[in-house]
Each structure stands twice: as C-alpha cells, then as structure tokens.
Amino acid sequence: MSGLCDGRVVVVTGAGRGLGRAHALAFAAEGARLVVNDLGVGLDGAPGAGNPAEQVAAEIRAAGGEAVAHGGDIAVSEGAASLVATAVETYGRLDTLVNNAGFLRDRMLVNLDEDDWDAVLRVHLKGHFLPLKHAAAHWRAETKAGRTPEARIVNTSSGAGLLGSLGQGNYSAAKAGIIGLTLVAAAELRRYGVQVNAIAPAARTRMTERTFAETMAAPAVGFDAMAPENVSPLVVWLGSSASVGVTGRVFEAEGGRIAVMEGWRAGPRVDKGTRWRPGEVGEAVLKLLGEAEVPGIVYGA
C-alpha cells in the first residue's frame, strides 16, 4: 500500500460489518490508526449478539495495525462524545471521521409506524449529526489553540437520498437530510481546517441484500462489482490529507464507477416581473417542465 494515511487517526462508525468494516480495514492498510465503532445491533436496530467492533479491531491488530473498539451508541450525545474522546485519549489526536452507522425498517408509507420513522431518522441522521458535532468542537478547539488540523469528515448518504426508494420513506428522508447536513457542515467548518463530503454507495451489505436480491451474488470469477471494498478507496482518499480542497461534494460509488453528483440548482426559469394569476401559471410551468431535464426514477418504481 502507499501509506496514504500514515499517522492519521480515523474513526469509523458502524464499522463492525459491511461498508464500515471495509473502510476500517482499508484505512488501516494505508497506515491509519483506527477507532472502530459498532453497537452490534441487528439489521433493524434490535440488540444483537457478539462484539463486531472488537472483532474488526482485532483483525486490524493481527495484520500489524493499530485499532481500538468503541461500542457506544453514537446517536446519543454521551456516546458520540465518548467516541471522539476515545480517539484523542488513545492516540492523542483525531484526523478523520467516517459516519457510516445505520439500519433499516422498511415499510410503505401507509404502513410506516411513527416508531419506525423515528428509529431510522435517529440512527442515520442524528447518528451523523452528533459525532460530527463533537468532532467539530474538538477541531475548533485545536484551531483556537493554534493547531489548525487537516481534518476530514466523510458522511454516508444513498441513492435513496438522491432519488427516493419505494418502501423506504424513512430511510430516503434520513439520507437526503445527510446531504443537507454535509453541505452546511462543509461551509461552517472550513475555517477550522475541516473538509466535509458525502458518498452515496451501492454495495453488497446486510442492508442491501433484499433490495438487490437478484444482482447481489458474488461472481465465481472476475471482478465483484458489488463488493463493499470497492467503495472504500474513495472514502480513504477523501479521508486523507491528499484530498485537500475537496469539500461540500457528494460522490456516488459502485464497483469501479465514481460519479460526482450535482444537486439542486436552478433550471429553466421565467420571470413575469409582477405577480402571476393562478389561471396563467399552468401554461408557464408546463413550458418550463418541457425545457427541464427529466428527473431520475425513484428506486423500485
């Protein structure tokens, strides 16, 4: 490996399995020291067996790297604060935060319970906000002390957050919210030496195995386009000092493909110069829609 992250201290949430595990191993392979966070819950957020965070940390140490496990709940302030504290107390610094933790409770909207809505928004959106907040507070203090960091945050959105996904109204809303949070954080934290970006990955994980059931099987030979390890090189680069100047961006990653996603911006427009009458708005809007790009199709539609 190139040693792209030699000396950097990296925190990855939800790193016990799937994408998070792949990210943690990839950072370690590039010389980073890891805090591996995972609450160890099931796919729906219910308590699970085992200690996946420690298993991944042990895997990194067995390969000659440095890693400690953190099993706290990062969707509560105390857990997020202790996550940052673990990095600083163990290694003396924090350089990169990768927000990845999440689970699913899929339902069509008419069947979606309030608890299922709250639970998914909590772990995905609040579980991004709180670690980001506590890491940012640490880096602000470092800047005020004259030690401006080369800090990085990589958030995890989804194609569901970009286009929507049938049966995943809660998940789609949370992932769209993460994009908004990323844009605000990138603007607010730039002064403290912090770059903030987001990815929208597609890979084979516990969360996606039902969604992509027909295309998830790994090939017997050749390139496995759905392997979570395919996403990690982009995350590692974004989390390294080599990505200087890249902030406030959203990237889609799947297999060997990387795309820069371009968000909402003004398309065709018309300005009457005064207030419209309801009866004349329709003609103007239909003309604008005829000139506009056709939106992407909601997943599953």
Side-chain angles (χ1 to χ4, degrees):
M1 293 295 181
S2 64
L4 188 67
C5 294
D6 279 348
R8 291 184 73 82
V9 173
V10 178
V11 169
V12 184
T13 70
R17 304 179 181 91
L19 282 166
R21 174 182 175 274
H23 300 340
L25 295 176
F27 271 110
E30 292 292 342
R33 296 169 287 174
L34 271 296
V35 177
V36 179
N37 164 267
D38 203 288
L39 194 55
V41 300
L43 180 60
D44 63 352
N51 187 346
E54 178 53 40
Q55 291 171 8
V56 174
E59 188 175 354
I60 291 171
R61 294 193 296 267
E66 296 182 59
V68 295
H70 179 274
D73 182 358
I74 47 81
V76 297
S77 189
E78 294 81 2
S82 72
L83 178 66
V84 173
T86 296
V88 175
E89 292 169 4
T90 303
Y91 301 118
R93 59 187 296 145
L94 171 61
D95 299 291
T96 298
L97 167 65
V98 179
N99 284 315
N100 171 76
F103 59 73
L104 296 175
R105 292 190 184 177
D106 293 351
R107 301 282 191 280
M108 301 299 281
L109 288 172
V110 294
N111 297 320
L112 185 61
D113 292 335
E114 185 177 353
D115 288 346
D116 293 330
W117 174 273
D118 290 343
V120 170
L121 268 290
R122 175 187 181 275
V123 71
H124 285 279
L125 191 51
K126 193 176 180 183
H128 270 62
F129 161 65
L130 287 174
L132 185 156
K133 169 186 168 69
H134 287 283
H138 166 71
W139 289 320
R140 180 180 63 178
E142 288 290 286
T143 299
K144 289 184 175 181
R147 299 184 295 270
T148 302
E150 288 186 320
R152 306 287 187 262
I153 298 174
V154 183
N155 292 329
T156 306
S157 184
S158 168
L162 298 169
L163 296 174
S165 179
L166 293 187
Q168 295 188 310
N170 48 3
Y171 178 73
S172 297
K175 289 304 192 183
I178 287 168
I179 294 174
L181 176 64
T182 297
L183 300 179
V184 172
E188 290 187 357
L189 303 182
R190 184 192 298 265
R191 73 188 73 178
Y192 306 126
V194 184
Q195 295 181 182
V196 189
N197 294 285
I199 61 166
R204 183 191 313 105
T205 70
R206 291 192 305 166
M207 286 177 53
T208 58
E209 61 185 0
R210 287 183 294 179
T211 304
F212 302 126
E214 296 182 358
T215 59
M216 293 297 284
V221 294
F223 177 56
D224 180 1
M226 297 306 293
E229 290 79 9
N230 298 331
V231 177
S232 300
L234 172 61
V235 175
V236 170
W237 184 81
L238 289 172
S240 75
S241 59
S243 63
V244 61
V246 179
T247 192
R249 295 288 192 164
V250 179
F251 299 88
E252 195 171 54
E254 175 185 353
R257 180 174 64 86
I258 297 172
V260 178
M261 307 307 291
E262 297 182 336
W264 292 106
R265 62 188 64 198
R269 69 191 75 187
V270 61
D271 184 354
K272 182 182 176 182
T274 187
R275 183 181 301 149
W276 293 84
R277 296 192 306 273
E280 63 183 355
V281 165
E283 182 180 353
V285 170
L286 291 175
K287 182 176 184 296
L288 292 177
L289 290 175
E291 299 170 358
E293 292 188 15
V294 176
I297 299 174
V298 173
Y299 285 100

